Every structure is written in C-alpha cells, then in structure tokens.
C-alpha cells in the first residue's frame, strides 16, 4: 500500500529518497514519484510502474533538498503518471505525498473548482495540496492546520513548501507516520525500513498530530495546537534484515528463517518456564487473577493473521478450556458485536497497521472491551493502542506473502494457551511436554527446509494445474486455508481451502483429474476421518498430494504424492505442516515466473478499508 518518505537536511535528498522508495517497494505499489526543491523551484518526477521506470526518467545529476517521495497503490483514479504523487498545488507553492483516503474530497474539489482552481489528476490527494495552498499566506504551519480542519478521512502526509525550503510538515490520521532523527537531518516516513539506513532513532506521530521538521529540530502539536512531548526510541532491526542476502527472493529467505524466528518468538527460552511446564509473557498488563475471570476469547486479524488467529482460538479452547472464536476483523468491526467485561480480545497483525484490524480493535475498546495485540512491528499503531500484548519478534517481513510472521504468531498463541491452560486445566506434566516439544520445532523445520528440493519437484509436477483444493480438519483446517491463500497470492492459481469434513457438502463437485487436492493429514483426533475424505476424492479420480506426519501404507496408497514432516504433537503440527505449503506456493510461483515478493494487486500493509 502507499508509502511515503520525506527528507530534510544538508545532503542531496534525491538518492536518499530513491533508496527509501526501494525499501518501501515491498508494501505493494503501482507508480512512484519524487518532489524536490532546487533553487527555490519545485521539481516533480513521477512515473507509472516500478521504481526502475521512475529512475529512467530522472536527470542523471538530480539534486535538491528538502524532498518528498511516494509509492502509490491506486484507490482514486487510474494507475498513470498524472495520478502518481507528489501532487503540486495549482500555484506550485505546495507539494504533497499522501497515504490514505480523503472521504470528503469531492465537495472540496467542487468548491475549489468554483473558485477557479483547476485540477490535473483524478486523485483525492491533489485536493490536499490545493487546499493547503489556498490557506497559505505566509505561515506554512497555519496553512496545513487550516486545511486539515476541513479534511475527513485517513491520511499520513508530508508537505513541501517551495518558498520555504527550511521545513517539512507531516500529519497523521489513521495512516502511520514515523520521524527519524539523524545528525542535522530528519526523515519522515510511513515505515521504519525507509529510514533504517540513515538513523535508528525514531518517534511516532499519533492520529491528529502535526509535526514540523527542520534539519535540526522538530515540533509536534495536537489539534489544540499544544506541543506534544515525544520520546525517542531505538529501532532494533538491522539493515541486513531488510536485504535479500544470498536469496533470490525475500519470501524464500523468510521461509528459511523460521527455525530462528520461532525460537525468538518463545524468547530463545526466555519466555518458557520448563520447570513449571508453562510460559511467562510480560506486557500483557493482566494480573493472574484476571485470567481466572476471563470467560471467553475472540481472536481477530486479516489474511494470514486471521488464519493464525483461527489456530490461536483452537489452541486456547483446547488447552485453556475457554469458549473461543476467531473473527475476520473487517466483519467484527461492523457487526453489533457483543462485548462483555470478562471477554478478552486478541488483535493479530504482523504490521500492526492493518486498518481493518486496527478499526475493529478501536471499536471493541470503545465498547469497553480489552484487546491484546500480537504484533511484529514494534511501535506500530496496534501495538501502541492495544491494552497490552506480545511481540512476536520475527524481524522485518518484506515479502508481501506472510510466512515467518504466521509461524511466530502461532508460537505466541501456543505460549498463551499453555500459560492460561496451566492455570485452568493442564497438569504440569502435560505443560512440560508441550514446552519440550516446542523447543524441538526449530530443528524439525530445519530438517524440512533441507528437503526443499522435494517440494520443488512437486511444484514442477503440479505447476500446470489451474485450480487446487486444500483440505484439513481440526487444527489443520486453518493450515489448509493458509496454504491456499499462499498459493493464490503468489502464483495467481485458483486455490481454495476447506475443512475436509465439508467437501461432500459442496466442494466435492469441483473434483476431477485436473484439480489436485492437497491434504494436511496429521495424526490425532480426526486423522481417520481425514483419510476417509481422501478416499472420497480418490473415488472421483482426483489427484492427491498429502502433507502428513504419518508415513503408513494406507496414506501412501491414497496419495499420488506425499511429503512427510517430522513427528510432533497434533496441536503443534501447524508449525511444521505449513512450511511445505509455503515452499510449494513459492516454487510454483517461481516456476511460473511470477513476481514472488510483490504479487500483482496486493499490498503488504493494507492501510485502507
Ligand atoms: C494483507 C497482506 C497479507 C496479510 C494481511 C494482514 O492482506 O497481503 O499478507 O496477512 O494484510 O496483515 P497484518 O500486517 O495485519 O498481519
């Protein structure tokens, strides 16, 4: 989704902004642009397509400061050069990059047009530039604040003033905005990765705050124009974590990082209390007593985070004996949801910025509910606004298709389920078994990864299929959903995940020789039932690929192809069974020559509804 970056300081802004744009690429975009001030003149360059296309249009000796830049993910107006950002005002005194949607742009545009102002683009964002210019007498700050008062909607924006090259102004309502404090220079961006090469010292802008940056000072004010104190925090991520290293794609790099990221999620042991067969998690802001009072749990998220939330719900019900339900945040937000005192909500989000999840969290909080965040990005909005939570510490996830964040989210849910379960239902001996088993998972994933060539062969064999079914039961049902999501996201092949028990109630009509079914069949509660479902597919000449931890004759007879993952407890099995599915999606997409890390139409961080 759109990314923004601004720079003010002594250096030429152009290379800094270009590098920042490349760091923002992973969020997903369809055009990009740069605006700079050079000798009190505004220079704007923008181009449809990849940043490489923008670079080709730039003068070789491009320079200027300060500057702003943008990666656009079209919402209002087609993907073309004109609709790309920055947008300059009618008089070229103001230029704006904007992330978000201005809901009331149409009446404002109409009014400005009546006043004789002409527009170049079809975007809602151009309205912001013209509105600020309209208010701009001699004080940029006043102009921005007056304009913001008239805007309804979401924004993270950066404003450049042609005749005032000593400042940049940023404002936020609903879209992330972070200030990077450097040595006699300041950066402003929607994402810390855009500034990591220059500074690790940051502070976060909150909704309805405006920040005025000069190269060696900053001032943040709220809507009442009172100055807000900011605490500077240090970003923990390292630059090499946002680089591909020896890998062709971030997605493969991130899949292969999972032995370490899962270990980090259980704190390398620091979150485990093996002697008591339980875990300890700081940051929940809940006392022991609170856990006795909880009588139900709702987990929520979108996309992959939602499937992790489904597994979380399953684990909490099974281990902690709590009524649990997973919800898509976008649905929960607009339902007349029941919120009661003893309910506990979990908002699951890698980025911590997904607007559907953030809005659902705010709605629940507004109704008096307590929401804990399970986030990856430290300092993200969900992490800051939740009532407590757990970081998954997976490190930056750059590929649009989420992989390592999923297994880390599941790991954190396991810790929570074991912890609450131990207070309610689970004896120490069983808790110890879960904990011991969890510590063996990284090694088992490493073993799966060593065999990735086997998955690559499977991908070769099945890459011509036009449609896939992914099927699992119990805790493997969300894994099937996640496997299907991964495949469709990166390969654009149609794939649907179903509960295997549900196939005979409809989806079985899709089965034929051309539509392979991928089963996740794990020993445990529903293993035999899953084998029964495989029989049903086999009887209809469907091809079957099976991911299992049970290598026996019957399953081999039923399967056209099989990948056996190491033995583990059924409840922990998603951490293993999802890995071959991630690799399967990755290899098929690579074989088909797709843009694996930045699939078409998708965005990593979806900051619009
Ligand atoms: C988008 C991404 C998905 C991601 C989902 C939730 O749809 O394309 O990969 O799972 O958002 O993102 P979050 O950052 O909230 O986990």
């Amino acid at each position: 989704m759109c990314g923004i970056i601004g720079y003010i300081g002594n250096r030429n802004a152009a290379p800094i902004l270009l590098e920042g744009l490349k760091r923002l690429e992973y969020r997903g975009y369809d055009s990009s642009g740069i605006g700079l001030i050079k000798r009190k003149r505004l220079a704007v360059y923008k181009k449809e397509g990849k940043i490489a296309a923008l670079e080709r249009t730039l003068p070789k000796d491009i320079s200027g400061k300060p500057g702003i830049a943008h990666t656009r993910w079209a919402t209002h107006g087609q993907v073309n050069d004109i609709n790309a950002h920055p947008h300059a005002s009618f008089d070229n005194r103001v230029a704006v990059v904007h992330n978000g949607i201005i809901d009331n742009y149409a009446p404002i545009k109409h009014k400005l047009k009546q006043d004789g102002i002409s527009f170049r683009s079809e975007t809602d964002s151009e309205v912001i530039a013209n509105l600020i210019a309209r208010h701009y007498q001699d004080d940029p700050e006043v102009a921005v604040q007056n304009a913001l008062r008239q805007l309804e909607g979401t924004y993270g924006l950066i404003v450049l003033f042609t005749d005032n090259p000593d400042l940049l102004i940023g404002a936020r309502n609903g879209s992330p905005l972070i200030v990077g404090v450097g040595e006699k220079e300041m950066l402003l961006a929607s994402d810390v990765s855009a500034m990591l090469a220059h500074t690790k010292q940051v502070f976060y802008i909150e909704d309805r705050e405006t920040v005025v940056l000069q190269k060696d000072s900053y001032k943040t004010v709220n809507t009442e124009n009172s100055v807000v104190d900011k605490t500077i925090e240090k970003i923990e991520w390292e630059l090499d974590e946002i680089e591909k290293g020896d890998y062709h794609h971030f997605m493969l790099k991130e899949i292969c990082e999972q032995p370490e990221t899962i270990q980090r999620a259980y704190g390398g042991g620091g979150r485990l209390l093996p002697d008591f067969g339980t875990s300890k998690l700081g940051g929940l802001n809940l006392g022991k007593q609170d856990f006795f009072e909880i009588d139900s749990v709702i987990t929520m998220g979108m996309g992959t985070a939602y499937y992790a939330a489904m597994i979380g719900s399953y684990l909490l019900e099974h281990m902690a004996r709590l009524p649990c339900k997973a919800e898509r945040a976008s649905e929960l937000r607009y339902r007349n949801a029941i919120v009661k005192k003893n309910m506990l909500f979990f908002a699951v989000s890698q980025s911590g910025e997904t607007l559907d999840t953030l809005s659902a969290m705010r709605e629940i909080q507004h109704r008096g509910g307590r929401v804990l965040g399970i986030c990856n990005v430290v300092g993200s909005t969900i992490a800051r606004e939740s009532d407590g939570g757990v970081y998954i510490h997976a490190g930056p996830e750059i590929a649009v298709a989420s992989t390592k964040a999923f297994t880390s989210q599941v790991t954190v849910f396991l810790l929570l389920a074991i912890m609450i379960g131990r207070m309610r239902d689970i004896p120490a001996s069983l808790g110890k078994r879960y904990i011991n088993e969890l510590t063996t998972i990284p090694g088992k994933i490493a073993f799966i990864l060593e065999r990735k060539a086997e998955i690559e062969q499977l991908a070769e064999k099945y890459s011509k299929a036009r449609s896939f079914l992914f099927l699992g039961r119990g805790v493997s049902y969300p894994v099937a959903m996640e496997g299907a999501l991964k495949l469709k996201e990166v390969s654009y092949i149609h794939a649907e995940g179903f509960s295997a028990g549900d196939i005979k109630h409809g989806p079985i009509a899709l089965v034929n020789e051309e539509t392979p079914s991928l089963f996740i069949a794990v020993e445990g509660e529903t293993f035999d039932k899953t084998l029964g479902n495989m029989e049903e597919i086999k009887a209809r000449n469907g091809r079957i690929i099976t991911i299992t931890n049970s290598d026996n004759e019957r399953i081999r007879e039923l399967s056209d192809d099989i990948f056996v993952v190491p033995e583990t407890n059924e409840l922990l099995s998603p951490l293993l069974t999802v890995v071959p599915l991630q690799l399967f999606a990755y290899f098929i997409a690579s074989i088909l020559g797709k843009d694996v890390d930045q699939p078409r139409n998708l965005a990593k961080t979806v900051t619009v509804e």
Side-chain angles (χ1 to χ4, degrees), residues 297 299 307-326 413 417 473-478 524-526 569-574:
V297 170
T299 60
Y307 298 131
M310 277 176 81
I311 294 176
S313 195
Y314 189 95
L315 297 175
L316 284 160
E317 182 182 85
H318 192 98
M319 294 182 177
R321 308 303 299 138
L322 281 164
C324 294
K325 204 169 158 210
F413 269 123
R473 301 180 79 123
V475 78
S476 299
Y477 166 41
E525 289 297 321
T526 54
N569 182 291
E570 186 183 11
L571 295 173
L572 282 78
S573 65

Side-chain angles (χ1 to χ4, degrees), residues 469 498 502-512 515 537 540:
L469 304 181
F498 294 104
D502 199 34
I503 47 165
K504 54 187 159 304
H505 302 288
I508 202 160
L510 301 170
V511 172
N512 59 21
T515 306
I537 302 278
R540 284 152 187 92

